[in-house]
Each structure stands twice: as C-alpha cells, then as structure tokens.
Amino acid sequence: MNGRLEEADTDADADTDPDTDTDTDADTDADADDTGSAAIDGDSDGVMADDDCDDDDASLGAISEDADCDGVLSADDCDDSDSGSTARDVDADCDGVLAWHDCDDFDTSLGAISGDADCDGVLAADDCDDDDRESTVITGEKIMTSRSPSFLYTG
C-alpha cells in the first residue's frame, strides 16, 4: 500500500485499480498519465495523433517538424507553408526550378534552361540568339548586348 485508501479491484483485469484497463491508475484509458484520454499513435511512428500530419501514414511525421505535411522537413523545405513547393536538395536556390532544369541552381536570377537556353539571364523571346551568351538583345527600338549596359539606337 502507498498510504492512501484504495478502492477494491472489482473488475476482471490483472491490475489493482477498479477500472477495466490494464494500467495501475484509476482512470478510463489504457495509459498511465491520469488524463482520462488515451495517447493515440495510429501509425506507430512515435508521433501522437494530435501532432501527426497523418496518423494513418508512418512516412509523415510531426506537424511541428513539417508544417505543410508534404514529407519534407521544415529545414529542407523551400516554403513550408506550401505543400507544392520544392525541397532544397532538388532546388538549392528555391526559385521553383529543379536543379537539372535550372541555368544555375545557386542563382535565383537565372531560371529555367527552357526559357533561356544560353543561360545569359535574357529570356529567349528577348534574345537575338538564345544559343549565344554574347548575342544582342532587342528591347523595343533599342539593341543592347547581353553583357553590356550600353544601348545602340536602331532608328
């Protein structure tokens, strides 16, 4: 005895408390925390249901570690409030262009190769020759080289 009055165990389980669960505290759940509500981890991933992204999917963990619940931890997620955003391991500069399609995956000013084949920072629609990084750019009535800020007037 622990010095307090205890009710007689009148149920059929093997513990010493009067409820029908198998723990030794006198509440209505099967855990020992005296809260009266069971700690639930449906997918057995170690994350309780209240903090689990999906308690039926063990591959998805805690909301506190993956706010958008896309399976990418917050530290590795480009935008942890958007489940459709990219992850840093495939988009280092987080510009939305995957590394193998990006002109320079460490420079957000350079986007997809599909829009700028020579990766000079000038989109194909504005580039005189999108296969030549040194080609000129047409902007209205002005022509400028892609590496020079000076303008040449055409008319």
Side-chain angles (χ1 to χ4, degrees):
M1 295 290 283
N2 59 11
R4 60 181 188 194
L5 292 176
E6 295 189 26
E7 296 178 35
D9 185 12
T10 58
D11 59 0
D13 62 5
D15 60 22
T16 59
D17 64 340
D19 58 15
T20 58
D21 59 28
T22 58
D23 62 355
T24 58
D25 61 344
D27 60 14
T28 58
D29 64 351
D31 64 5
D33 65 5
D34 290 322
T35 62
S37 63
I40 299 171
D41 180 13
D43 57 10
S44 300
D45 63 357
V47 179
M48 297 298 110
D50 291 348
D51 189 37
D52 202 320
C53 284
D54 182 344
D55 205 34
D56 293 323
D57 185 346
S59 70
L60 296 175
I63 296 167
S64 61
E65 296 175 5
D66 179 13
D68 60 7
C69 294
D70 61 357
V72 179
L73 295 177
S74 298
D76 301 324
D77 203 324
C78 285
D79 182 352
D80 207 30
S81 65
D82 178 4
S83 62
S85 73
T86 53
R88 294 181 189 282
D89 65 336
V90 294
D91 182 14
D93 60 4
C94 293
D95 63 357
V97 180
L98 300 178
W100 46 91
H101 296 291
D102 202 321
C103 283
D104 182 343
D105 204 32
F106 297 99
D107 185 346
T108 58
S109 70
L110 296 175
I113 296 167
S114 63
D116 181 13
D118 60 8
C119 294
D120 62 358
V122 179
L123 295 178
D126 298 324
D127 201 328
C128 287
D129 183 355
D130 204 33
D131 292 321
D132 180 5
R133 290 181 62 96
E134 301 301 322
S135 69
T136 56
V137 180
I138 299 175
T139 58
E141 294 184 23
K142 301 174 183 175
I143 298 176
M144 65 180 201
T145 64
S146 60
R147 295 291 182 201
S148 168
S150 63
F151 294 95
L152 300 173
Y153 290 96
T154 61

